[in-house]
Structures are given as C-alpha cells and as structure tokens.
C-alpha cells in the first residue's frame, strides 16, 4: 500500500522539511500581504461607499479566494492580522446588502477558508459566522445562492457545540423545517422539484448537525416542530432520516431491526463517500454516531447483531487504497488523510470491542490486510496513536496468533516504534500508546523475545526522565503534565513486567525507583486521574511485592484535598454524557414543554373561541369579557416575548462582537507575551554578558597587579644578571684564545681527511664497477637457465604430441581396415542382390511370355 505521508518518502527529513518550511513561510507572507490590502480596501469602503471602492474591495476578496492557500488561514498563536481579518470580514458581510455580488464573493471566500480544519473551527467558534449565515439564508431567495449557503452551513455545523439558546437558532430552525416541508408542496416541472429536494436534504443535514449532542437546540427544535408530521415527511431521506430519528429517541420513532441494519450499511456507504474526498467533519459525524450507539438501545442491539462488518470494512480499505493513489502532497491533504485514518482506526477498534460480546462479529478474514495498513501509519503524528490502539485491540480481541506471527515475521515496525519512544520530539501520548503495545506484545510467546531483546536497562531511564528530573519539593500538577504521568506509569509497569521475567536484571531497579518520591507522586496522580486504563495500570503496579503503599497513600490524600475544585470541569462533561445516554427519559419528563402538536391544538381552540366571540354567538357578557381580558393578556405576553427576543438578539450581537474582540485581543496578548518573552530572554542575555564583562574587568585588574609585581622582581634579576655578564665576558676572552688554537689543528686535520676521502671515492668507484659486472653475469646466467627450461618444456610437449599422433594414426589404421572389410562385405551384398535381380527379371519375362501364349486368339 502506498501512502503520501512524510515517513514513506525516500528523501532525508532535512532535505524535505527545509524547502517545505520555506514554501509555507512564503505563502504566509503572501497571505498577510493580501489580508492587509483587504483591510485597507474595507476601511476605504466604510469611509466612502461608492462603486469604485466596492470594485476594489471585490477584487481584493477574489485574490484572497484564489491566490492564498486555505491552510494559510489557520491562525497561528499571536497572528493578529488574521484575527482582525476575520472580524473585518464579519463586519463587512453584516453591512452589505443581500443582493450584493461582493457579499457572495465573501461567501465564496468563507467556503475557501473552511477547507482548512483549523480555520473552519475558528470561523464557527471564535468569529461566530454561523448566526450571520443563518440570517442571510433567511433573506436569500435565489435557489443557487440558497444552495451555496446550505452547503456552507452543512460543512460548518459538523460537530458544532451550542451551549445556550442563541436567538438565531429560532430563525434557522424554522427556516430549515420550512425547507424540508416545502418539498411536498412543490409541484410543476421536475427541475424545480429536484432543486427543492436537494435543498431539503441539505436542510435536514444541518438540522441533524445542530441537534446532535446539543440539548438546547434539540429542546428548541421539539418545541417548535410538529414531530409526528416532521417524522413522516423525512422518511424517504435515507441516512439523514435515520440520523434524525435516532437523535429524537425511540419514543418518537420505534425502529424495526431491518431499518437499523439498513442504517448501518448506509452509514458505511457514507463513510466511503467521505474517504473519496478525505472529508473529515462528515466522517467524524458518522463515526461518532456509531461510537455513541450505546445511547440508543435499538441501534446498540443492531450493531451487536450486524454480521457484515468484515465486508463493510473491506470496502473501506478498498476505497482508502484507491484514494491514496490519486493524492497530491499538499499539507492540508496529508493532515485530512491522517485524521480520516484516525477515525477509521477508532471505529475498527470499537467493532473489535463489540466482538467480545458477540462471537458472530469477526474481522479475522481481513486481519493481515489490516495489519499491512496499520504498519504504514504507526509513526504518524496525527493517527499514530489510533493505529497503535487498533493494533493492541487486534492482539487482545482479534486473531491474536495471526497478528503476533505477522509482527514476529517483520519486527522492523516494532523496532522503529521503540526507537521513536527514545526521541525527545515524540509526543508523550504516542509514547504511552507504544508502551501499552509493548506490554501486550510481552504477553505473547511469539513476540516476548523480540521485546526483551530490543530494550535495555537505560531505556527505562529515558522513559522516566520527566518525573525523575524534578526535585521532590517541586512536585505539582503544573510541573508534571498528565500526559507525562501516563507515560511514566506505563513505563514503570513495563519495567515491572520485565522484572517478573528477568528478575536478576531488573528487580533491584524496580525497588529503587519505587522508593523515589517523584514516582510515588506519579502513582498517586494516576489513581486519582479518572482514566480507567491508567487506574488499572496503577493497580497492577500496586501488586508488586515492594510497592510503597504508605507513601503513595500520603500523596493521594494530599492531592485529593487540594484538587476538589479542579474536578468540577470533568464532572460537567460526565454529566453531559450521562444526559445523552438518558435522552429518552429526559424527553419524557419535558413532554409538556416540547409538544408542538398540543400547542397547535390550544392555539386552534383559542382561535375558535375568538371567532365565536366575533360572530356574537357568546351571549353571556362575563364570558365575553373574560375572553377579551384573556386575549389582552395574550397580546401583552406576546409583546413582552417580542421585546425579550429583541433584547436577546441585541445581547447576542453584543456577545458575538465581544467574542470576536476577545479573540483579537487574545491574539494581540499572545503577540505581546511573545515579545515580552523575547525581551526577557534578551535581558537575561545582556545581564549575563554584563556579568561576564565585570568578571573580565576584575580579572584584568588582577592580571595588571601581577604584571607590576613581576616587573619589579624582573628588574632586580636584571641587575644581578649584568654582574654575572661581566664575569662571563672575561671568561669568553680566554675561551676565544683556546678556540683559535683548536681551529688551526682542525685545518690540518681537514687536509688529511680530504686526501683520505679522495682515495675512498676511487675505491668506491672500482667496487661499483665490479658489482655491475657481476650483476650482468648473474643476469646472463639467469636468462640462459630460463631459456634451457623453456626448451626442455617445449621438447617434452613435442614428444607428448608425437606420442598422441602415433596413437591417433594407429587408431585411424584400425578404423580404415574395419571400414575396408565392411566395404568388401557391402560389395558382395550388392553383387548378390544384382544376381537376384537378374534372376527375378528372367523369371518375370518367362511368366510374361507364358501369359501371352495362353491368351485366346481373336476371331478374324
């Protein structure tokens, strides 16, 4: 399987990272330039609203849509220009008329920005474009523009979180429901019906996105819609209808098992469509639906009884392979591909967990193919953890023997993972997943030796480096992150598992580490973490013989007493999850507040009474007065509700503006913090340089005093040396006389030596000539010996060849004699055959003559 991920390229990381970084910096600089131009054009338009400024503004928006890649709109921390850009874009869209081409150029720009996942999240959460687009959708009448808005809202509302009943929700929900109901009312040509049908599908998709896990929106939707009529209307919309009815719980629509199985098959088909475009938000929406099946009893039963998971996943794998061959190498594509793979891995892991409750669910037939796919993604930055978790699930819940055999046959993937845990740039979450995988592999006989052979004693020091680097008095939630706690606990559990196998090598190290307060604190944090896997690992460590129970208990008590306030946030998320699981009961308890059908009946009754009153059919005056007062009360309540709605909308606009301003100020604050940090670093560097210069000045002063002291000592030594020099000079005069006498003797000896050297040279010349003569004789002798040897060898070869020729001649003579004998025999045979032929011919002539004589003569 080929992928476009960075880890499969043949080039070295430094050769690929640097050009990519340069390209990204250049694209970001170009983006900032276009953004600044847009800001200036928008300011000019707000000052002078003319056709010319509007055209310049529209051109600037078009450049932003076409020239700037979508990933450049993902604002980095402290990027003030992009934060102001989105705020100015929101303000511009709010000020423009609904029919303006510039406004729809802004919509096109938003669609372009939303292709990047980070920018999409900022558009929804930080800069509040969904309310603006909702009101714009209500005002838009042209079908093609409504389609563009519905597509954009569908994309932006995947996974949206809404915490309170924002005013735009009433308008948006009513409009979307009207779009859904308008399909049945549409009649006329087929093209209009097709357009309305596509609009209705998109509207239903947006309703599903808004209501999914947003209780405020769901209750508002139930209060404003006749659910029974709405449920009947959406029956033919397939996957979207199933999603909506599942969200509305079993009380609204009771599914048959056949329908839920159809939903599962349709959901997998929808995932195939998402993989064709690497559409992360929609794929996450579908996968979350299946992972949350336990909240819907019927869907959970359908998943447990579904027997086609193997075929469904195999089709997903086929689509993944087909899509990868067509991919480019853009940054956004790689990121979206990895996020899609992460979701697919999570779904397959969940299906493997379901197989523990139903033996009919099995992925054994595609296990080798799954492993082959996982091997390409184990080191991925975004989906590596999910891939490792799936591999653990295959080893624990799938065909364990087959997977262990595949790993043992190609251990390179595990070796790479072990190596990545020792690198400082690997994230703690990924290291934790790898440690859990190693624990699983250690429990298999086929892979136990592999893990033991690739990990040494120093490996655990690197894994536990973060807590061990802290001083005991510095232990707190701020100095030791939860991810580091998780990594340390699983590293310690792996070490204890090693000690149970190789006791001599690791037992003492386990005991020593457990006595350290840093690891005791980490164990206490793990027991209070609320993470089931982490608590289970800590309890397994607690079974160790020398586990420090008293020390860990003290840390647990101190952490528990100081973290009661910090646990409020996790409780709220747990409460929300509990609400989602008990959705059916919650809806029953709020039935009186959300029954739109009952409200419609009450309104119809009030209208009937009002009509009766207007026709003067109520002759009782008190009753008419009560009804009049009741109508007045209703009008006053409606007026109050309208005023409250207006105030709520004003507060929502103010909140939106405040949210945008907060994000701009946060970006500015981050920039100031970055500059402040750089100034602090510069200040520390200058202070260090100042200290160094002061130390150098003190050293120079000390060196100067030493030099002065040495100079005084040197002057005294100089005077003493001068006195010694005068004495030495007199000695030198006497030595010069002796030297002159020695020179005269040397000249005489030199003459004698020259004569001897001349004689020696003559002798050496004669010796050299004799050596050359001897060498020439020796060389001549060697040549003659070599020639004799060669002649001897040639003679032996000639004699051998002669013998061979004699033998060949003898054989040839024998062969000739044999052939002559055979030739004589052949001649005799030929003579005999010729005699026989002659006799046969005579016989034939005789027979012919006899036959002629016996023929009857013809009558005359």
């Amino acid at each position: 399987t080929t992928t476009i991920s960075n880890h499969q390229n043949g080039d070295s990381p430094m050769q690929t990272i640097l050009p990519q970084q340069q390209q990204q910096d250049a694209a970001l600089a170009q983006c900032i330039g276009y953004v600044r131009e847009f800001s200036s054009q928008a300011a000019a338009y707000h000052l002078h609203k003319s056709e010319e400024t509007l055209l310049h503004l529209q051109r600037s928006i078009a450049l932003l849509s076409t020239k700037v890649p979508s990933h450049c709109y993902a604002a980095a921390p402290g990027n003030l220009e992009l934060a102001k850009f989105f705020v100015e874009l929101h303000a511009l869209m709010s000020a423009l008329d609904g029919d303006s081409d510039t406004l729809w150029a802004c919509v096109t720009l938003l669609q372009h920005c939303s292709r990047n996942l980070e920018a999409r999240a900022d558009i929804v959460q930080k800069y509040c474009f969904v309310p603006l687009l909702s009101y714009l959708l209500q005002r838009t009448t042209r079908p093609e523009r409504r389609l563009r808005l519905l597509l954009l809202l569908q994309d932006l509302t995947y996974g949206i979180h809404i915490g309170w009943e924002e005013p735009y929700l009433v308008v948006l929900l009513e409009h979307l429901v009207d779009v859904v109901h308008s399909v049945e009312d549409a009649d006329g040509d087929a093209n209009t019906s097709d357009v309305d049908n596509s609009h209705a599908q998109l509207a239903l998709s947006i309703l599903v996105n808004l209501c999914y896990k947003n209780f405020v929106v769901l209750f508002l939707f139930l209060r404003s819609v006749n659910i029974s009529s709405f449920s009947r209307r959406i029956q033919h919309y397939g996957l979207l209808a199933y999603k909506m009815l599942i969200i509305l719980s079993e009380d609204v629509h009771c599914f048959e098992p056949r329908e839920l199985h159809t939903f599962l098959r349709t959901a997998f088909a929808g995932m195939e469509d998402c993989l064709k475009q690497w559409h992360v938000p929609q794929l996450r929406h579908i996968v979350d639906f299946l992972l949350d099946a336990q909240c819907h009893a019927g869907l959970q039963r359908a998943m447990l009884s579904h027997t086609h998971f193997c075929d469904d996943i195999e089709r997903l794998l086929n689509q993944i392979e087909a899509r990868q061959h067509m991919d480019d190498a853009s940054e956004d594509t790689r990121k979206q591909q990895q996020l899609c793979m992460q979701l697919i891995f999570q779904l397959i892991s969940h299906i493997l967990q379901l197989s523990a409750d139903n033996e009919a669910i099995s992925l054994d037939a595609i296990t080798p193919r799954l492993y082959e796919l996982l091997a390409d993604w184990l080191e991925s930055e975004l989906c590596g953890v999910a891939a490792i978790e799936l591999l653990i699930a295959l080893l624990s819940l799938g065909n364990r023997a087959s997977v262990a055999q595949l790993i043992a046959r190609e251990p390179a993937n595990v070796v790479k993972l072990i190596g990545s845990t020792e690198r400082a740039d690997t994230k703690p979450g990924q290291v934790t997943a790898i440690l859990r995988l190693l624990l699983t592999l250690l429990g298999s006989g086929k892979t136990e030796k592999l893990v033991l052979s690739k990990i040494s004693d120093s490996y655990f020091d690197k894994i536990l480096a973060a807590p061990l680097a802290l001083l005991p008095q510095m232990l707190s939630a701020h100095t030791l992150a939860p991810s580091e706690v998780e990594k340390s606990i699983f590293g310690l559990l792996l070490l204890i598992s090693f000690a149970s196998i190789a006791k001599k090598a690791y037992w003492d190290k386990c005991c020593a580490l457990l006595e350290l307060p840093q690891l005791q604190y980490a164990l206490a944090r793990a027991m209070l973490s609320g993470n089931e896997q982490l608590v289970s690992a800590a309890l397994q460590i607690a079974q160790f013989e020398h586990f420090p129970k008293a020390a860990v208990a003290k840390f647990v008590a101190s952490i528990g007493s100081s973290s009661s306030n910090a646990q409020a946030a996790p409780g709220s998320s747990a409460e929300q999850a509990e609400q989602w699981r008990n959705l059916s009961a919650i809806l029953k308890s709020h039935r009186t507040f959300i029954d739109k059908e009952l409200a419609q009946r009450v309104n119809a009754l009030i209208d009937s009474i009002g009509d009766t009153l207007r026709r003067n059919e109520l002759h009782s005056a008190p009753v008419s007065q009560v009804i009049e007062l009741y109508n007045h009360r209703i009008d006053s309540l409606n007026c109050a509700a309208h005023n409250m709605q207006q105030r709520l909308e004003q507060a929502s606009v103010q909140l939106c503006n405040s949210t945008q301003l907060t994000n701009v100020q946060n970006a500015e604050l981050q920039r100031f913090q970055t500059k402040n940090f750089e100034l602090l670093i510069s200040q520390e560097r200058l202070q260090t340089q100042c200290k160094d210069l002061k130390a150098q000045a003190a050293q120079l002063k000390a060196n100067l005093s030493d030099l002065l002291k040495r100079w005084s000592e040197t002057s005294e030594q100089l005077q003493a040396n001068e006195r010694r020099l005068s004495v030495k000079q007199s000695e030198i005069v006497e030595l010069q006389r002796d030297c002159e006498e020695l020179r005269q003797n040397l000249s005489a000896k030199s003459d004698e030596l020259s004569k001897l050297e001349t004689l020696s040279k003559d002798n050496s010349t004669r010796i050299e000539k004799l050596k050359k003569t001897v060498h020439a004789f020796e060389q001549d002798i060697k040549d003659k010996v070599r020639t004799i040897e060669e002649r001897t060898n040639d003679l032996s070869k000639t004699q051998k060849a002669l013998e061979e020729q004699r033998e060949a001649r003898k054989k040839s003579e024998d062969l000739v004699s044999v052939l002559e004998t055979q030739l004589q025999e052949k001649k005799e045979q030929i003579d005999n055959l010729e005699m026989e032929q002659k006799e046969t011919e005579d016989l034939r002539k005789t027979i012919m003559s006899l036959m002629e004589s016996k023929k009857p003569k013809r009558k005359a």
Side-chain angles (χ1 to χ4, degrees), residues 691-726:
K691 289 179 181 178
D692 294 340
L693 291 173
K694 287 181 179 179
Q696 290 177 8
Q699 185 66 31
L700 288 174
K701 289 180 180 179
N703 292 340
L704 181 60
S705 62
D706 290 341
L707 287 173
L708 291 173
K709 190 181 295 183
R710 290 177 186 174
W711 181 72
S712 62
E713 294 174 354
T714 305
S715 61
E716 294 175 356
Q717 291 177 359
L718 182 61
Q719 293 175 358
N721 289 333
E722 287 177 351
R723 290 192 294 269
R724 291 174 188 169
L725 180 62
S726 61

Side-chain angles (χ1 to χ4, degrees), residues 395-396 400 404 435-452 494 497-498 500-501:
L395 285 167
S396 306
R400 181 171 186 172
L435 292 173
R436 291 184 58 236
L437 174 62
L438 295 177
L439 284 166
T440 307
L441 293 175
L442 202 60
S444 175
K446 295 182 180 179
T447 55
E448 177 182 339
K449 293 181 180 179
L450 171 63
V451 178
L452 291 174
L494 182 63
S497 302
F498 269 55
S500 63
I501 298 172

Side-chain angles (χ1 to χ4, degrees), residues 158 239-240 243 260-292 299 303 306 308-321 323 336-337 339-351 354:
Y158 281 121
L239 180 62
L240 293 173
K243 285 183 180 180
L260 292 172
H261 285 291
T262 304
F263 165 70
L264 291 177
R265 302 303 294 266
T266 311
F268 276 96
M271 284 188 274
E272 289 186 54
D273 295 335
C274 295
L275 292 175
K276 291 178 182 178
Q277 302 295 330
W278 297 129
H279 198 296
V280 179
Q282 186 177 359
L283 181 62
R284 179 179 285 117
H285 197 265
I286 298 174
V287 171
D288 286 347
F289 246 91
L290 298 182
L291 296 182
D292 292 334
L299 182 57
M303 289 194 70
H306 189 65
H308 300 286
F309 281 125
C310 193
D311 297 334
D312 295 333
I313 294 174
E314 190 168 15
R315 283 195 296 273
L316 294 180
L317 298 181
N318 293 336
Q319 183 57 49
I320 290 170
E321 292 179 1
R323 183 68 177 90
Q336 291 166 4
Q337 181 189 24
L339 290 173
C340 286
M341 297 306 300
Q342 179 188 24
L343 292 168
I344 295 299
F345 292 154
Q346 290 174 353
L347 176 62
I348 299 174
S349 299
H350 180 69
I351 292 171
L354 293 177

Side-chain angles (χ1 to χ4, degrees), residues 779-796:
Q779 188 66 33
D780 190 25
I781 291 169
K782 288 180 180 178
D783 292 340
K784 289 179 179 180
V785 170
R786 191 182 301 113
T787 304
I788 291 168
E789 290 177 352
E790 291 175 355
R791 297 284 174 82
T792 304
N793 291 334
D794 292 342
L795 181 60
S796 63

Side-chain angles (χ1 to χ4, degrees), residues 213 246 250 291-300 577 580-584:
K213 290 189 176 181
I246 288 172
E250 292 180 302
L291 296 182
D292 292 334
Q294 58 183 348
C295 305
H296 192 279
L299 182 57
Q300 180 70 0
W580 187 252
R581 282 192 291 270
N582 298 328
L583 177 62
S584 178

